[in-house]
Amino acid sequence: MASARDSSPNRDVSAAMGGGEEQAFIEVFDTACVLIRNALTLEEQERLCAYIEEKDKTPAGKPRAMVPAPQTLILGEDGHPQVRYVRGEDPTVVSALVEKASGILKQQLVDPASCPLISNGKFKICDYRSLAMATIRYEAPDGRFPAHVDHCSDSFVVLASLGRTANFMVKGLSMDARKDFKFCSGDVLVFDASTTAALLHSCVSIDESASPAGGLLASKFPVLQKHRYGVQCRVFF
């Protein structure tokens, strides 16, 4: 599929250290899936991490497994992992993430026909009726989530990565082969989560290293020195 720029995930160290952060650019993988590189600035990543920490009610002190499974954090009330929002409520860092991703796509999709389900299709990402945010914590290097299709009709997912770099995979109906890529801190994947789109995706493993921005983020949030957060914002229409 088309790309708006060279797809290399390498980050400029000087940019992350204050020499001017890299600009967002998109990679179109499938008619139902787009990756936005550098979608979130370091400051935006910090705000999102602080929000997750504020909401986190996950019980601590459990014995560590030899190969820890990914852990869904308890962010909602009464033991629910999700935090839910209704459109029109006071804005949050979560709604800001969805709106920023939508704005980047509208600005940079120079060929809307290449990704109609994201740009000009039935759904407009910011015209949602509600959204739900959940966060999964993956430990490096063995954190993984098996390949699956979400089967969630009338919804899109805006998936942000924070901390250690994830090795990720997607395979859409229009793709001849699966796409494996580095999912770096601050990148955002947007995809149609319906059965019709049938977007197969998986977190294959987690690098013990991070991009420069991911390293700086971990200096403020030590949990990210050995983990990656997958922040899933599911948008319902």
Side-chain angles (χ1 to χ4, degrees):
M1 303 297 292
S3 173
R5 192 175 130 182
D6 176 16
S7 63
S8 171
N10 293 332
R11 300 297 200 268
D12 183 348
V13 176
S14 65
M17 294 302 291
E21 296 191 68
E22 290 196 13
Q23 296 297 307
F25 66 99
I26 65 173
E27 299 177 45
V28 178
F29 292 155
D30 178 69
T31 55
C33 181
V34 172
L35 177 67
I36 309 176
R37 293 281 188 198
N38 311 316
L40 301 179
T41 66
L42 181 58
E43 181 179 354
E44 289 167 336
Q45 294 176 59
E46 290 172 352
R47 286 201 297 265
L48 185 55
C49 281
Y51 183 79
I52 291 168
E53 283 199 348
E54 175 190 334
K55 294 288 186 182
D56 190 10
K57 306 174 188 67
T58 308
K62 291 185 177 181
R64 183 184 180 278
M66 290 185 64
V67 181
Q71 183 172 24
T72 301
L73 303 183
I74 306 300
L75 304 180
E77 300 300 325
D78 300 321
H80 293 291
Q82 295 180 331
V83 183
R84 296 184 177 273
Y85 313 84
V86 176
R87 190 180 180 199
E89 293 179 340
D90 291 340
T92 67
V93 292
V94 177
S95 58
L97 165 59
V98 172
E99 290 174 9
K100 184 173 186 183
S102 179
I104 293 170
L105 292 177
K106 289 177 181 177
Q107 181 182 43
Q108 295 198 20
L109 271 174
V110 294
D111 180 14
S114 69
C115 201
L117 296 184
I118 294 291
S119 59
N120 287 347
K122 178 180 177 183
F123 300 135
K124 305 293 185 182
I125 295 174
C126 277
D127 293 339
Y128 59 86
R129 58 178 175 82
S130 64
L131 64 88
M133 187 273 278
T135 299
I136 301 179
R137 183 174 61 212
Y138 298 81
E139 184 172 327
D142 297 317
R144 60 175 57 89
F145 204 96
H148 63 286
V149 173
D150 280 5
H151 298 295
C152 190
S153 298
D154 293 344
S155 75
F156 269 75
V157 166
V158 179
L159 178 63
S161 193
L162 300 173
R164 302 294 97 176
T165 298
N167 296 297
F168 216 81
M169 180 279 294
V170 296
K171 172 65 172 69
L173 296 177
S174 70
M175 300 168 64
D176 294 330
R178 59 183 268 173
K179 172 69 175 180
D180 292 272
F181 62 96
K182 296 287 187 181
F183 201 170
C184 299
S185 192
D187 293 344
V188 170
L189 188 71
V190 182
F191 63 91
D192 186 334
S194 68
T195 299
T196 302
L199 196 284
L200 188 70
H201 54 288
S202 170
C203 182
V204 179
S205 64
I206 307 297
D207 287 349
E208 294 182 287
S209 59
S211 65
L216 289 174
L217 189 65
S219 69
K220 291 194 174 183
F221 299 91
V223 65
L224 298 179
Q225 293 174 5
K226 294 184 178 180
H227 295 84
R228 174 248 183 183
Y229 280 162
V231 184
Q232 180 193 79
C233 303
R234 190 177 297 276
V235 180
F236 298 94
F237 300 93

